[in-house]
């Protein structure tokens, strides 16, 4: 990592350009101290870059790796912490539709490694939503993530192209999922944890939920097909199965609800049982 600067700048200070490079990937398991990270004065080392994978602590103090990529970058995967977010804000890396061709964005919020705190979850979520309004795939890994990502998406209001949202650490309710589908009409896949019906339906009896969904919410989404649900040991799998069945009612193209492999047989039995109820017929 001591030679990271020489990737884009010679020892004499001349810029190094990779005119035909389409994919750039960095991977490193240890952290770099802030005072060890270099800065450069280059204008753009990767003028045709389409994919960038930064599975490591960002190696520069400034926006070196992003310069000159705003019109070409289509896929970005990166680890973030408070320092990285502050760098991106300082140098105005994103925002203002600066990356019109970016279609897929994955971030991993590094919470604690070697006493280096990660970005607070709300800051990481805000950062993820600021990158591009034309994202088709957004994946956010954050063990401290809260369900506030849903109102953040609603507040953001420009996710009409989003097709896959992977937030495997977020604990969402049925209410959150309904609001999310209303705001993201192109969404086909959602990955999250499920925790029950939530505030919109807390006064509705379980046997009335199918009726409410059929009368008030169908069709909720004409594109939603896959719901991948994480599961904690204390979550009633019958509650998860009920959520899947309600998606079948509200979303005409819904075809698949995924749970952990050791729960699939129990999930199947719960769904078969629900299918025998009059309210689900």
């Amino acid at each position: 990592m001591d030679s990271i600067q020489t990737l884009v700048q010679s020892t004499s200070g001349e810029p190094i350009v990779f005119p035909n490079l389409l994919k750039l990937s960095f991977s490193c398991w240890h952290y770099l101290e802030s005072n060890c990270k270099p800065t450069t004065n280059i204008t753009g080392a990767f003028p045709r870059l389409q994919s960038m994978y930064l599975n490591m602590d960002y190696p520069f103090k400034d926006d070196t790796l992003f310069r000159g990529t705003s019109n070409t970058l289509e896929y970005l995967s990166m680890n973030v912490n408070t320092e990285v977010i502050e760098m991106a804000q300082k140098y105005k890396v994103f925002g203002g539709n600066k990356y019109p061709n970016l279609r897929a964005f994955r971030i991993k919020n590094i919470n604690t490694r070697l006493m280096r705190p990660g970005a607070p979850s709300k800051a990481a979520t805000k950062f993820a939503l600021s990158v591009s309004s034309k994202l088709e795939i957004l994946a956010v890994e954050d063990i401290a993530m809260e369900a506030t990502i849903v109102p953040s998406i609603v507040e953001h209001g420009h996710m009409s192209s989003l097709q896959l949202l992977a937030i495997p650490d977020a604990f969402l309710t049925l209410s959150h999922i309904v609001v999310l589908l209303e705001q993201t009409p192109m969404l086909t896949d959602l990955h999250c944890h499920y925790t029950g019906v939530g505030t919109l339906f807390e006064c509705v009896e379980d046997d009335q939920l199918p009726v409410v969904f059929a009368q008030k919410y169908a069709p909720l989404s004409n594109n939603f097909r896959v719901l991948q649900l994480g599961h904690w040991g204390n979550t009633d799998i019958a509650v998860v199965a009920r959520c899947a069945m309600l998606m079948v009612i509200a979303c005409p193209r819904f075809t698949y609800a995924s749970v952990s492999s050791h729960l699939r047989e129990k999930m199947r039995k719960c769904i078969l049982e629900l299918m025998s109820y009059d309210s689900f017929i």
Side-chain angles (χ1 to χ4, degrees):
M1 294 306 298
D2 293 338
S3 61
I4 187 68
Q5 187 170 350
T6 59
L7 173 71
V8 295
Q9 197 169 23
S10 70
T11 53
S12 61
E14 294 296 317
I16 300 173
V17 179
F18 299 82
N20 297 311
L21 189 69
L22 301 180
K23 177 181 175 180
L24 179 66
S25 180
F26 284 113
S27 183
C28 182
W29 285 104
H30 71 270
Y31 270 90
L32 299 173
E33 292 299 325
S34 179
N35 58 5
C36 295
K37 293 183 178 182
T39 59
T40 72
N41 57 10
I42 65 168
T43 57
F46 316 107
R48 296 184 59 195
L49 195 67
Q50 296 177 356
S51 302
M52 188 188 303
Y53 300 80
L54 301 174
N55 298 315
M56 59 175 293
D57 191 15
Y58 183 75
F60 289 90
K61 271 188 179 180
D62 58 20
D63 60 339
T64 291
L65 294 181
F66 293 98
R67 293 174 194 161
T69 66
S70 62
N71 290 320
T72 62
L73 200 62
E74 298 176 1
Y75 181 95
L76 175 60
S77 174
M78 65 186 299
N79 293 350
V80 300
N81 54 24
T82 303
E83 186 178 281
V84 173
I85 292 177
E86 289 176 350
M87 180 280 297
Q89 293 171 341
K90 177 180 178 180
Y91 291 94
K92 300 180 180 179
V93 176
F94 303 111
N97 200 28
K98 198 172 180 179
Y99 283 82
N101 296 309
L102 190 65
R103 295 293 179 265
F105 184 40
R106 171 209 161 267
I107 70 168
K108 182 175 182 179
N109 185 17
I110 309 167
N111 285 299
T112 53
R113 283 190 191 172
L114 302 180
M115 305 303 292
R116 291 280 299 279
S121 288
K122 289 182 180 179
T125 295
K126 185 177 180 180
F127 176 71
L129 296 178
S130 72
V131 171
S132 173
S133 61
K134 296 183 179 180
L135 286 178
E136 296 175 0
I137 298 172
L138 176 60
V140 183
E141 296 180 42
D142 182 354
I143 60 173
M145 175 172 281
E146 301 174 355
T148 51
I149 189 171
V150 175
S152 294
I153 289 175
V154 173
E155 182 180 346
H156 186 69
H158 300 288
M159 304 298 288
S160 59
S161 299
L162 194 64
Q163 297 176 25
L164 186 152
L165 178 61
I167 43 176
D169 302 303
F171 288 77
L172 302 189
T173 65
L174 181 62
S175 301
H176 290 129
I177 294 172
V178 167
V179 171
L180 187 61
L181 291 176
E182 289 175 335
Q183 296 296 318
T184 54
M186 300 303 294
L187 195 70
T188 63
D189 293 65
L190 172 63
H191 304 175
C192 65
H193 278 281
Y194 181 70
T195 59
V197 296
T199 56
L200 288 178
F201 309 105
E202 60 188 359
C203 295
V204 181
E205 296 294 333
D206 286 349
D207 62 351
Q208 289 301 305
L209 277 171
V211 177
V212 171
F213 263 68
Q215 293 179 351
K216 186 175 180 180
Y217 292 101
L220 178 60
S221 170
N222 289 316
N223 293 301
F224 191 55
R225 297 196 303 266
V226 177
L227 181 60
Q228 183 170 315
L229 297 169
H231 179 268
W232 284 67
N234 60 352
T235 304
D236 185 352
I237 196 64
V239 173
V240 177
R242 187 178 298 275
C243 174
M245 290 295 290
L246 292 171
M247 290 299 105
V248 172
I249 293 173
C251 305
R253 298 185 66 189
F254 187 80
T255 56
Y256 186 63
S258 174
V259 294
S260 302
S261 57
H262 68 285
L263 294 170
R264 287 173 187 165
E265 180 59 25
K266 188 173 182 180
M267 176 86 160
R268 187 186 72 84
K269 291 179 179 178
C270 288
I271 287 177
L272 289 175
E273 182 179 352
L274 287 170
M275 290 175 66
S276 68
Y277 295 169
D278 290 342
S279 56
F280 278 106
I281 298 177

